Amino acid sequence: MTLDLSLLQQKFGSRLQTGIPLARYTSARIGGPAQALLKVETANELAQIVTMLWELEQPFFIIGGGSNILVADAGVEDVIVLNRARHVRFAEHTSPPTAWAESGANFGLLARQAAARGLSGLEWAAGIPGTLGGAVVGNAGAFGADLSANLVMAEILHRKPQEKAGELPAVQREKWLKENFEYGYRTSRLKQHPGDAIVLSAKLQLEHSTPQAVQLRIDEHTIVRHRTQPPGASTGSMFKNPPGKYAGRLIDAAGLKGTQIGGAQISPLHGNFFINLGTASASDFYQLIKLAQLTVAEKFGVALELEIQLVGNWQVEKG
Ligand code: EPU
């Protein structure tokens, strides 16, 4: 599928923004321009826009908090859908209490809003920079917990395969229970099969507690995070932890902490965090990724698998 800019301009008119630098929308502050960008403010708008893009057979990529992605310097040919659908609702008097939010809601903020209401269960997520949608797709986790333990169900926009060639795709809104997501460590059915379904909203299960008790646990996690994870612009953890091992410890033991290429550095504090010192390009990051993978494979025979997603036109950087 290639992008047809004039078709998109005709269908979306002035809503379609062109040539937008993406660095400002990513947590690593890196990334070239989007040829075409559409911003959505509600889950209904997200559903409408994505349905149209599927019908027009135009490729797209949804950006939420912009963490866990590395956008190529050459930019992105797919339409970028910027998810700013952020409505949040709490049901405090149900058993169990729940939080419902649109997929563009900031997950860490949702956790802090729950804390302020004395609702427990998301303390581990208070420092997570991404959106709820990203967390549902990637099964975000920290401090031994992950999203799958909280998820009750999510509303999904699902594209069914065409029955006959030339037919419009059948697009449906569906409610998926947690079991449908086939969750694993930092993965789900949606992550394994991108392109067939997107998250519109999700409902999370919580527990009654007190604002003080919940805040205390958040504070404990924050102290650990500040001690072990660097501040500064990064993608979050670069690699998944290999089974039974820690990516950060392997990169550390390989002697790579503090290594710098261009404006990118492997954090001297934590080996699995790569920092943009201010002028890093995606290519600098990519070279550091390759260096870490090669060195760890050579020294320890372990293949480090990316947790982040490479987005956009990487032909140039990969050579
Ligand atoms: N370690 C080292 N050297 C380092 C870094 C870590 O020896 O440079 C050791 C630590 O001492 C520890 C072990 O490696 O024994 C694990 O490190 P840490 O406790 O920092 O946790 P992690 O496995 O690196 C995971 C998640 C983080 C999450 C933290 C806190 C992954 C890939 N990362 O990090 O999630 O915040 O636990 O619970 O699962 C993310 O996914 O983006 C993320 C930040």
Side-chain angles (χ1 to χ4, degrees), residues 68 141-144 185-186 225 228-229 235-241 246-250 252 257 267-273 307:
N68 269 17
F143 303 106
Y185 167 62
R186 296 293 193 274
R225 191 189 305 276
T228 57
Q229 297 182 4
T235 57
S237 292
M238 180 56 79
F239 300 105
K240 293 186 191 182
N241 283 334
Y246 293 107
R249 186 182 287 174
L250 289 163
D252 186 355
K257 281 191 351 187
S267 165
L269 184 63
H270 195 302
N272 205 16
F273 281 75
E307 174 173 321

PDB file of all heavy atoms in Angstrom, residues 68 141-144 185-186 225 228-229 235-241 246-250 252 257 267-273 307, ligand 1:
ATOM      1  N   ASN A  68       8.283   4.041  23.420  1.00  0.00           N
ATOM      2  CA  ASN A  68       8.360   2.696  22.819  1.00  0.00           C
ATOM      3  C   ASN A  68       8.406   2.693  21.299  1.00  0.00           C
ATOM      4  O   ASN A  68       8.134   1.676  20.680  1.00  0.00           O
ATOM      5  CB  ASN A  68       7.178   1.814  23.264  1.00  0.00           C
ATOM      6  CG  ASN A  68       7.517   1.025  24.501  1.00  0.00           C
ATOM      7  OD1 ASN A  68       8.477   1.361  25.187  1.00  0.00           O
ATOM      8  ND2 ASN A  68       6.770  -0.006  24.784  1.00  0.00           N
ATOM      9  N   GLY A 141       4.254  -2.900  31.468  1.00  0.00           N
ATOM     10  CA  GLY A 141       4.425  -3.403  32.828  1.00  0.00           C
ATOM     11  C   GLY A 141       5.572  -2.749  33.548  1.00  0.00           C
ATOM     12  O   GLY A 141       6.423  -2.111  32.924  1.00  0.00           O
ATOM     13  N   ALA A 142       5.578  -2.891  34.846  1.00  0.00           N
ATOM     14  CA  ALA A 142       6.685  -2.428  35.693  1.00  0.00           C
ATOM     15  C   ALA A 142       6.472  -3.022  37.079  1.00  0.00           C
ATOM     16  O   ALA A 142       5.333  -3.350  37.443  1.00  0.00           O
ATOM     17  CB  ALA A 142       6.717  -0.899  35.780  1.00  0.00           C
ATOM     18  N   PHE A 143       7.574  -3.135  37.827  1.00  0.00           N
ATOM     19  CA  PHE A 143       7.527  -3.584  39.218  1.00  0.00           C
ATOM     20  C   PHE A 143       6.741  -4.895  39.386  1.00  0.00           C
ATOM     21  O   PHE A 143       5.919  -5.042  40.289  1.00  0.00           O
ATOM     22  CB  PHE A 143       6.955  -2.477  40.114  1.00  0.00           C
ATOM     23  CG  PHE A 143       7.744  -1.207  40.012  1.00  0.00           C
ATOM     24  CD1 PHE A 143       7.259  -0.107  39.323  1.00  0.00           C
ATOM     25  CD2 PHE A 143       9.016  -1.132  40.567  1.00  0.00           C
ATOM     26  CE1 PHE A 143       8.016   1.052  39.198  1.00  0.00           C
ATOM     27  CE2 PHE A 143       9.790   0.024  40.452  1.00  0.00           C
ATOM     28  CZ  PHE A 143       9.282   1.121  39.766  1.00  0.00           C
ATOM     29  N   GLY A 144       6.967  -5.814  38.458  1.00  0.00           N
ATOM     30  CA  GLY A 144       6.383  -7.148  38.579  1.00  0.00           C
ATOM     31  C   GLY A 144       4.919  -7.246  38.179  1.00  0.00           C
ATOM     32  O   GLY A 144       4.325  -8.326  38.239  1.00  0.00           O
ATOM     33  N   TYR A 185       4.515 -11.593  27.913  1.00  0.00           N
ATOM     34  CA  TYR A 185       5.412 -10.531  28.366  1.00  0.00           C
ATOM     35  C   TYR A 185       5.590  -9.490  27.248  1.00  0.00           C
ATOM     36  O   TYR A 185       6.134  -9.804  26.197  1.00  0.00           O
ATOM     37  CB  TYR A 185       6.756 -11.151  28.778  1.00  0.00           C
ATOM     38  CG  TYR A 185       7.882 -10.170  28.977  1.00  0.00           C
ATOM     39  CD1 TYR A 185       7.817  -9.187  29.956  1.00  0.00           C
ATOM     40  CD2 TYR A 185       9.008 -10.218  28.170  1.00  0.00           C
ATOM     41  CE1 TYR A 185       8.858  -8.277  30.127  1.00  0.00           C
ATOM     42  CE2 TYR A 185      10.051  -9.324  28.335  1.00  0.00           C
ATOM     43  CZ  TYR A 185       9.965  -8.355  29.304  1.00  0.00           C
ATOM     44  OH  TYR A 185      10.992  -7.456  29.461  1.00  0.00           O
ATOM     45  N   ARG A 186       5.085  -8.294  27.481  1.00  0.00           N
ATOM     46  CA  ARG A 186       5.170  -7.160  26.541  1.00  0.00           C
ATOM     47  C   ARG A 186       4.608  -7.492  25.145  1.00  0.00           C
ATOM     48  O   ARG A 186       5.059  -6.951  24.142  1.00  0.00           O
ATOM     49  CB  ARG A 186       6.616  -6.676  26.367  1.00  0.00           C
ATOM     50  CG  ARG A 186       7.254  -6.115  27.602  1.00  0.00           C
ATOM     51  CD  ARG A 186       6.592  -4.809  28.042  1.00  0.00           C
ATOM     52  NE  ARG A 186       7.417  -4.148  29.030  1.00  0.00           N
ATOM     53  CZ  ARG A 186       7.366  -4.405  30.348  1.00  0.00           C
ATOM     54  NH1 ARG A 186       6.499  -5.272  30.836  1.00  0.00           N
ATOM     55  NH2 ARG A 186       8.153  -3.758  31.176  1.00  0.00           N
ATOM     56  N   ARG A 225      12.475   4.055  40.863  1.00  0.00           N
ATOM     57  CA  ARG A 225      12.642   4.445  39.457  1.00  0.00           C
ATOM     58  C   ARG A 225      13.714   5.539  39.329  1.00  0.00           C
ATOM     59  O   ARG A 225      14.580   5.470  38.461  1.00  0.00           O
ATOM     60  CB  ARG A 225      11.309   4.933  38.887  1.00  0.00           C
ATOM     61  CG  ARG A 225      11.335   5.096  37.371  1.00  0.00           C
ATOM     62  CD  ARG A 225      10.082   5.776  36.856  1.00  0.00           C
ATOM     63  NE  ARG A 225       8.865   5.098  37.259  1.00  0.00           N
ATOM     64  CZ  ARG A 225       8.350   4.061  36.616  1.00  0.00           C
ATOM     65  NH1 ARG A 225       8.932   3.600  35.553  1.00  0.00           N
ATOM     66  NH2 ARG A 225       7.242   3.507  37.035  1.00  0.00           N
ATOM     67  N   THR A 228      17.121   4.035  39.723  1.00  0.00           N
ATOM     68  CA  THR A 228      17.612   3.049  38.749  1.00  0.00           C
ATOM     69  C   THR A 228      17.449   3.484  37.287  1.00  0.00           C
ATOM     70  O   THR A 228      18.106   2.920  36.415  1.00  0.00           O
ATOM     71  CB  THR A 228      16.874   1.707  38.918  1.00  0.00           C
ATOM     72  OG1 THR A 228      15.467   1.946  38.779  1.00  0.00           O
ATOM     73  CG2 THR A 228      17.150   1.085  40.276  1.00  0.00           C
ATOM     74  N   GLN A 229      16.550   4.434  37.022  1.00  0.00           N
ATOM     75  CA  GLN A 229      16.307   4.798  35.625  1.00  0.00           C
ATOM     76  C   GLN A 229      16.656   6.271  35.382  1.00  0.00           C
ATOM     77  O   GLN A 229      16.361   7.115  36.220  1.00  0.00           O
ATOM     78  CB  GLN A 229      14.838   4.550  35.247  1.00  0.00           C
ATOM     79  CG  GLN A 229      14.462   3.081  35.340  1.00  0.00           C
ATOM     80  CD  GLN A 229      13.016   2.810  34.933  1.00  0.00           C
ATOM     81  OE1 GLN A 229      12.300   3.711  34.509  1.00  0.00           O
ATOM     82  NE2 GLN A 229      12.600   1.565  35.086  1.00  0.00           N
ATOM     83  N   THR A 235      13.387   6.202  24.801  1.00  0.00           N
ATOM     84  CA  THR A 235      12.207   5.452  24.336  1.00  0.00           C
ATOM     85  C   THR A 235      11.613   4.607  25.462  1.00  0.00           C
ATOM     86  O   THR A 235      10.648   3.901  25.250  1.00  0.00           O
ATOM     87  CB  THR A 235      12.599   4.478  23.208  1.00  0.00           C
ATOM     88  OG1 THR A 235      13.622   3.611  23.719  1.00  0.00           O
ATOM     89  CG2 THR A 235      13.104   5.200  21.979  1.00  0.00           C
ATOM     90  N   GLY A 236      12.206   4.642  26.660  1.00  0.00           N
ATOM     91  CA  GLY A 236      11.877   3.644  27.688  1.00  0.00           C
ATOM     92  C   GLY A 236      12.809   2.461  27.465  1.00  0.00           C
ATOM     93  O   GLY A 236      13.818   2.600  26.752  1.00  0.00           O
ATOM     94  N   SER A 237      12.513   1.307  28.050  1.00  0.00           N
ATOM     95  CA  SER A 237      13.420   0.156  27.865  1.00  0.00           C
ATOM     96  C   SER A 237      13.588  -0.129  26.380  1.00  0.00           C
ATOM     97  O   SER A 237      12.603  -0.227  25.643  1.00  0.00           O
ATOM     98  CB  SER A 237      12.846  -1.101  28.529  1.00  0.00           C
ATOM     99  OG  SER A 237      12.843  -0.954  29.921  1.00  0.00           O
ATOM    100  N   MET A 238      14.843  -0.278  25.950  1.00  0.00           N
ATOM    101  CA  MET A 238      15.116  -0.489  24.519  1.00  0.00           C
ATOM    102  C   MET A 238      14.822  -1.930  24.098  1.00  0.00           C
ATOM    103  O   MET A 238      14.196  -2.176  23.075  1.00  0.00           O
ATOM    104  CB  MET A 238      16.592  -0.146  24.264  1.00  0.00           C
ATOM    105  CG  MET A 238      17.038  -0.318  22.847  1.00  0.00           C
ATOM    106  SD  MET A 238      16.042   0.632  21.690  1.00  0.00           S
ATOM    107  CE  MET A 238      16.708   2.268  21.865  1.00  0.00           C
ATOM    108  N   PHE A 239      15.303  -2.900  24.933  1.00  0.00           N
ATOM    109  CA  PHE A 239      15.141  -4.320  24.589  1.00  0.00           C
ATOM    110  C   PHE A 239      14.229  -4.994  25.607  1.00  0.00           C
ATOM    111  O   PHE A 239      14.118  -4.555  26.760  1.00  0.00           O
ATOM    112  CB  PHE A 239      16.511  -5.024  24.617  1.00  0.00           C
ATOM    113  CG  PHE A 239      17.508  -4.449  23.644  1.00  0.00           C
ATOM    114  CD1 PHE A 239      18.549  -3.638  24.091  1.00  0.00           C
ATOM    115  CD2 PHE A 239      17.404  -4.705  22.282  1.00  0.00           C
ATOM    116  CE1 PHE A 239      19.477  -3.099  23.196  1.00  0.00           C
ATOM    117  CE2 PHE A 239      18.326  -4.171  21.383  1.00  0.00           C
ATOM    118  CZ  PHE A 239      19.364  -3.360  21.841  1.00  0.00           C
ATOM    119  N   LYS A 240      13.600  -6.081  25.177  1.00  0.00           N
ATOM    120  CA  LYS A 240      12.877  -6.926  26.134  1.00  0.00           C
ATOM    121  C   LYS A 240      13.913  -7.656  26.975  1.00  0.00           C
ATOM    122  O   LYS A 240      15.019  -7.928  26.491  1.00  0.00           O
ATOM    123  CB  LYS A 240      12.054  -7.983  25.389  1.00  0.00           C
ATOM    124  CG  LYS A 240      10.921  -7.415  24.591  1.00  0.00           C
ATOM    125  CD  LYS A 240      10.117  -8.572  24.029  1.00  0.00           C
ATOM    126  CE  LYS A 240       9.132  -8.099  22.999  1.00  0.00           C
ATOM    127  NZ  LYS A 240       8.311  -9.174  22.477  1.00  0.00           N
ATOM    128  N   ASN A 241      13.552  -8.002  28.184  1.00  0.00           N
ATOM    129  CA  ASN A 241      14.436  -8.853  28.968  1.00  0.00           C
ATOM    130  C   ASN A 241      14.384 -10.264  28.374  1.00  0.00           C
ATOM    131  O   ASN A 241      13.291 -10.837  28.247  1.00  0.00           O
ATOM    132  CB  ASN A 241      13.996  -8.890  30.431  1.00  0.00           C
ATOM    133  CG  ASN A 241      14.401  -7.625  31.182  1.00  0.00           C
ATOM    134  OD1 ASN A 241      15.369  -6.956  30.824  1.00  0.00           O
ATOM    135  ND2 ASN A 241      13.648  -7.286  32.220  1.00  0.00           N
ATOM    136  N   TYR A 246      18.373 -10.182  32.209  1.00  0.00           N
ATOM    137  CA  TYR A 246      18.017  -8.765  32.136  1.00  0.00           C
ATOM    138  C   TYR A 246      18.845  -8.082  31.048  1.00  0.00           C
ATOM    139  O   TYR A 246      20.080  -8.155  31.083  1.00  0.00           O
ATOM    140  CB  TYR A 246      18.291  -8.068  33.477  1.00  0.00           C
ATOM    141  CG  TYR A 246      17.399  -8.557  34.582  1.00  0.00           C
ATOM    142  CD1 TYR A 246      17.906  -9.374  35.589  1.00  0.00           C
ATOM    143  CD2 TYR A 246      16.047  -8.208  34.618  1.00  0.00           C
ATOM    144  CE1 TYR A 246      17.096  -9.830  36.613  1.00  0.00           C
ATOM    145  CE2 TYR A 246      15.229  -8.661  35.633  1.00  0.00           C
ATOM    146  CZ  TYR A 246      15.747  -9.472  36.627  1.00  0.00           C
ATOM    147  OH  TYR A 246      14.934  -9.920  37.633  1.00  0.00           O
ATOM    148  N   ALA A 247      18.176  -7.430  30.121  1.00  0.00           N
ATOM    149  CA  ALA A 247      18.886  -6.745  29.028  1.00  0.00           C
ATOM    150  C   ALA A 247      19.853  -5.713  29.596  1.00  0.00           C
ATOM    151  O   ALA A 247      21.008  -5.617  29.154  1.00  0.00           O
ATOM    152  CB  ALA A 247      17.871  -6.081  28.091  1.00  0.00           C
ATOM    153  N   GLY A 248      19.396  -4.938  30.598  1.00  0.00           N
ATOM    154  CA  GLY A 248      20.235  -3.885  31.185  1.00  0.00           C
ATOM    155  C   GLY A 248      21.504  -4.456  31.793  1.00  0.00           C
ATOM    156  O   GLY A 248      22.602  -3.923  31.609  1.00  0.00           O
ATOM    157  N   ARG A 249      21.370  -5.575  32.505  1.00  0.00           N
ATOM    158  CA  ARG A 249      22.535  -6.184  33.148  1.00  0.00           C
ATOM    159  C   ARG A 249      23.527  -6.708  32.100  1.00  0.00           C
ATOM    160  O   ARG A 249      24.741  -6.582  32.244  1.00  0.00           O
ATOM    161  CB  ARG A 249      22.076  -7.328  34.062  1.00  0.00           C
ATOM    162  CG  ARG A 249      23.197  -7.925  34.866  1.00  0.00           C
ATOM    163  CD  ARG A 249      22.715  -9.073  35.722  1.00  0.00           C
ATOM    164  NE  ARG A 249      21.927  -8.631  36.858  1.00  0.00           N
ATOM    165  CZ  ARG A 249      21.299  -9.458  37.689  1.00  0.00           C
ATOM    166  NH1 ARG A 249      21.357 -10.758  37.486  1.00  0.00           N
ATOM    167  NH2 ARG A 249      20.618  -8.998  38.698  1.00  0.00           N
ATOM    168  N   LEU A 250      22.994  -7.307  31.000  1.00  0.00           N
ATOM    169  CA  LEU A 250      23.867  -7.837  29.943  1.00  0.00           C
ATOM    170  C   LEU A 250      24.651  -6.709  29.266  1.00  0.00           C
ATOM    171  O   LEU A 250      25.856  -6.839  29.006  1.00  0.00           O
ATOM    172  CB  LEU A 250      23.021  -8.586  28.893  1.00  0.00           C
ATOM    173  CG  LEU A 250      22.422  -9.919  29.356  1.00  0.00           C
ATOM    174  CD1 LEU A 250      21.296 -10.361  28.423  1.00  0.00           C
ATOM    175  CD2 LEU A 250      23.506 -10.996  29.437  1.00  0.00           C
ATOM    176  N   ASP A 252      25.340  -3.830  30.529  1.00  0.00           N
ATOM    177  CA  ASP A 252      26.258  -3.351  31.563  1.00  0.00           C
ATOM    178  C   ASP A 252      27.497  -4.256  31.611  1.00  0.00           C
ATOM    179  O   ASP A 252      28.645  -3.796  31.496  1.00  0.00           O
ATOM    180  CB  ASP A 252      25.487  -3.371  32.905  1.00  0.00           C
ATOM    181  CG  ASP A 252      26.260  -2.770  34.062  1.00  0.00           C
ATOM    182  OD1 ASP A 252      27.437  -2.410  33.874  1.00  0.00           O
ATOM    183  OD2 ASP A 252      25.677  -2.665  35.157  1.00  0.00           O
ATOM    184  N   LYS A 257      27.880   0.616  29.010  1.00  0.00           N
ATOM    185  CA  LYS A 257      27.209   1.784  29.608  1.00  0.00           C
ATOM    186  C   LYS A 257      28.054   3.040  29.384  1.00  0.00           C
ATOM    187  O   LYS A 257      29.265   3.003  29.520  1.00  0.00           O
ATOM    188  CB  LYS A 257      26.945   1.549  31.097  1.00  0.00           C
ATOM    189  CG  LYS A 257      25.733   0.665  31.248  1.00  0.00           C
ATOM    190  CD  LYS A 257      25.105   0.482  32.590  1.00  0.00           C
ATOM    191  CE  LYS A 257      25.686   0.949  33.823  1.00  0.00           C
ATOM    192  NZ  LYS A 257      24.896   0.465  34.990  1.00  0.00           N
ATOM    193  N   SER A 267      22.744   4.848  28.592  1.00  0.00           N
ATOM    194  CA  SER A 267      22.776   5.535  29.883  1.00  0.00           C
ATOM    195  C   SER A 267      23.837   4.962  30.818  1.00  0.00           C
ATOM    196  O   SER A 267      23.911   3.742  30.993  1.00  0.00           O
ATOM    197  CB  SER A 267      21.401   5.433  30.547  1.00  0.00           C
ATOM    198  OG  SER A 267      21.510   5.774  31.903  1.00  0.00           O
ATOM    199  N   PRO A 268      24.616   5.821  31.435  1.00  0.00           N
ATOM    200  CA  PRO A 268      25.592   5.340  32.430  1.00  0.00           C
ATOM    201  C   PRO A 268      24.893   4.756  33.660  1.00  0.00           C
ATOM    202  O   PRO A 268      25.482   4.020  34.416  1.00  0.00           O
ATOM    203  CB  PRO A 268      26.367   6.607  32.815  1.00  0.00           C
ATOM    204  CG  PRO A 268      26.060   7.618  31.761  1.00  0.00           C
ATOM    205  CD  PRO A 268      24.710   7.266  31.208  1.00  0.00           C
ATOM    206  N   LEU A 269      23.594   5.082  33.843  1.00  0.00           N
ATOM    207  CA  LEU A 269      22.855   4.603  35.013  1.00  0.00           C
ATOM    208  C   LEU A 269      22.223   3.236  34.761  1.00  0.00           C
ATOM    209  O   LEU A 269      22.199   2.371  35.627  1.00  0.00           O
ATOM    210  CB  LEU A 269      21.768   5.639  35.377  1.00  0.00           C
ATOM    211  CG  LEU A 269      20.948   5.388  36.633  1.00  0.00           C
ATOM    212  CD1 LEU A 269      21.855   5.396  37.865  1.00  0.00           C
ATOM    213  CD2 LEU A 269      19.868   6.460  36.775  1.00  0.00           C
ATOM    214  N   HIS A 270      21.665   3.038  33.552  1.00  0.00           N
ATOM    215  CA  HIS A 270      20.932   1.801  33.245  1.00  0.00           C
ATOM    216  C   HIS A 270      21.180   1.404  31.789  1.00  0.00           C
ATOM    217  O   HIS A 270      20.853   2.171  30.879  1.00  0.00           O
ATOM    218  CB  HIS A 270      19.432   2.020  33.494  1.00  0.00           C
ATOM    219  CG  HIS A 270      18.645   0.740  33.555  1.00  0.00           C
ATOM    220  ND1 HIS A 270      18.612  -0.156  32.513  1.00  0.00           N
ATOM    221  CD2 HIS A 270      17.867   0.209  34.526  1.00  0.00           C
ATOM    222  CE1 HIS A 270      17.841  -1.188  32.842  1.00  0.00           C
ATOM    223  NE2 HIS A 270      17.383  -0.984  34.070  1.00  0.00           N
ATOM    224  N   GLY A 271      21.731   0.201  31.586  1.00  0.00           N
ATOM    225  CA  GLY A 271      22.148  -0.225  30.257  1.00  0.00           C
ATOM    226  C   GLY A 271      21.023  -0.384  29.247  1.00  0.00           C
ATOM    227  O   GLY A 271      21.269  -0.396  28.037  1.00  0.00           O
ATOM    228  N   ASN A 272      19.770  -0.503  29.701  1.00  0.00           N
ATOM    229  CA  ASN A 272      18.672  -0.704  28.742  1.00  0.00           C
ATOM    230  C   ASN A 272      17.963   0.600  28.390  1.00  0.00           C
ATOM    231  O   ASN A 272      16.912   0.591  27.776  1.00  0.00           O
ATOM    232  CB  ASN A 272      17.671  -1.734  29.293  1.00  0.00           C
ATOM    233  CG  ASN A 272      16.895  -2.426  28.188  1.00  0.00           C
ATOM    234  OD1 ASN A 272      17.273  -2.373  27.003  1.00  0.00           O
ATOM    235  ND2 ASN A 272      15.787  -3.045  28.555  1.00  0.00           N
ATOM    236  N   PHE A 273      18.541   1.716  28.807  1.00  0.00           N
ATOM    237  CA  PHE A 273      17.980   3.027  28.434  1.00  0.00           C
ATOM    238  C   PHE A 273      18.976   3.751  27.541  1.00  0.00           C
ATOM    239  O   PHE A 273      20.125   3.942  27.927  1.00  0.00           O
ATOM    240  CB  PHE A 273      17.688   3.880  29.678  1.00  0.00           C
ATOM    241  CG  PHE A 273      16.425   3.496  30.373  1.00  0.00           C
ATOM    242  CD1 PHE A 273      16.368   2.339  31.138  1.00  0.00           C
ATOM    243  CD2 PHE A 273      15.281   4.284  30.269  1.00  0.00           C
ATOM    244  CE1 PHE A 273      15.200   1.962  31.781  1.00  0.00           C
ATOM    245  CE2 PHE A 273      14.106   3.914  30.912  1.00  0.00           C
ATOM    246  CZ  PHE A 273      14.066   2.757  31.663  1.00  0.00           C
ATOM    247  N   GLU A 307      12.311  -4.103  22.298  1.00  0.00           N
ATOM    248  CA  GLU A 307      10.965  -3.894  22.856  1.00  0.00           C
ATOM    249  C   GLU A 307      10.276  -2.779  22.069  1.00  0.00           C
ATOM    250  O   GLU A 307       9.077  -2.792  21.851  1.00  0.00           O
ATOM    251  CB  GLU A 307      11.043  -3.502  24.338  1.00  0.00           C
ATOM    252  CG  GLU A 307       9.669  -3.130  24.903  1.00  0.00           C
ATOM    253  CD  GLU A 307       9.652  -2.899  26.410  1.00  0.00           C
ATOM    254  OE1 GLU A 307      10.320  -3.631  27.142  1.00  0.00           O
ATOM    255  OE2 GLU A 307       8.925  -1.990  26.840  1.00  0.00           O
TER     256      GLU A 307
HETATM  257  N1  EPU B   1      21.006  -4.069  36.051  1.00  0.00           N
HETATM  258  C1  EPU B   1      22.363  -4.027  35.952  1.00  0.00           C
HETATM  259  N2  EPU B   1      22.925  -3.006  35.211  1.00  0.00           N
HETATM  260  C2  EPU B   1      22.175  -2.072  34.581  1.00  0.00           C
HETATM  261  C3  EPU B   1      20.769  -2.132  34.682  1.00  0.00           C
HETATM  262  C4  EPU B   1      20.196  -3.155  35.417  1.00  0.00           C
HETATM  263  O1  EPU B   1      23.069  -4.883  36.476  1.00  0.00           O
HETATM  264  O2  EPU B   1      22.746  -1.189  33.920  1.00  0.00           O
HETATM  265  C5  EPU B   1      20.387  -5.141  36.844  1.00  0.00           C
HETATM  266  C6  EPU B   1      19.673  -4.590  38.083  1.00  0.00           C
HETATM  267  O3  EPU B   1      20.547  -4.438  39.155  1.00  0.00           O
HETATM  268  C7  EPU B   1      18.619  -5.652  38.321  1.00  0.00           C
HETATM  269  C8  EPU B   1      18.287  -6.160  36.931  1.00  0.00           C
HETATM  270  O4  EPU B   1      19.372  -5.786  36.085  1.00  0.00           O
HETATM  271  O5  EPU B   1      19.151  -6.719  39.063  1.00  0.00           O
HETATM  272  C9  EPU B   1      16.970  -5.593  36.384  1.00  0.00           C
HETATM  273  O6  EPU B   1      17.019  -4.167  36.306  1.00  0.00           O
HETATM  274  P1  EPU B   1      15.778  -3.255  36.738  1.00  0.00           P
HETATM  275  O7  EPU B   1      15.328  -3.642  38.114  1.00  0.00           O
HETATM  276  O8  EPU B   1      16.154  -1.850  36.475  1.00  0.00           O
HETATM  277  O9  EPU B   1      14.612  -3.697  35.804  1.00  0.00           O
HETATM  278  P2  EPU B   1      14.553  -3.940  34.222  1.00  0.00           P
HETATM  279  O10 EPU B   1      14.302  -5.388  34.016  1.00  0.00           O
HETATM  280  O11 EPU B   1      15.725  -3.356  33.523  1.00  0.00           O
HETATM  281  C10 EPU B   1      11.963  -3.629  34.002  1.00  0.00           C
HETATM  282  C11 EPU B   1      11.126  -3.098  32.881  1.00  0.00           C
HETATM  283  C12 EPU B   1      10.910  -1.604  33.043  1.00  0.00           C
HETATM  284  C13 EPU B   1      10.327  -1.306  34.414  1.00  0.00           C
HETATM  285  C14 EPU B   1      11.304  -1.853  35.469  1.00  0.00           C
HETATM  286  C15 EPU B   1      10.824  -1.626  36.893  1.00  0.00           C
HETATM  287  C16 EPU B   1      11.595  -4.436  30.878  1.00  0.00           C
HETATM  288  C17 EPU B   1      12.364  -4.534  29.606  1.00  0.00           C
HETATM  289  N3  EPU B   1      11.796  -3.331  31.602  1.00  0.00           N
HETATM  290  O12 EPU B   1      13.280  -3.078  33.836  1.00  0.00           O
HETATM  291  O13 EPU B   1       9.942  -1.213  32.073  1.00  0.00           O
HETATM  292  O14 EPU B   1      10.138   0.082  34.616  1.00  0.00           O
HETATM  293  O15 EPU B   1      11.442  -3.268  35.260  1.00  0.00           O
HETATM  294  O16 EPU B   1       9.944  -2.578  37.280  1.00  0.00           O
HETATM  295  O17 EPU B   1      10.833  -5.348  31.187  1.00  0.00           O
HETATM  296  C18 EPU B   1       9.737  -0.357  29.849  1.00  0.00           C
HETATM  297  O18 EPU B   1       9.298  -1.476  29.563  1.00  0.00           O
HETATM  298  O19 EPU B   1       9.843   0.576  29.011  1.00  0.00           O
HETATM  299  C19 EPU B   1      10.192  -0.139  31.228  1.00  0.00           C
HETATM  300  C20 EPU B   1      10.807   0.985  31.593  1.00  0.00           C
END
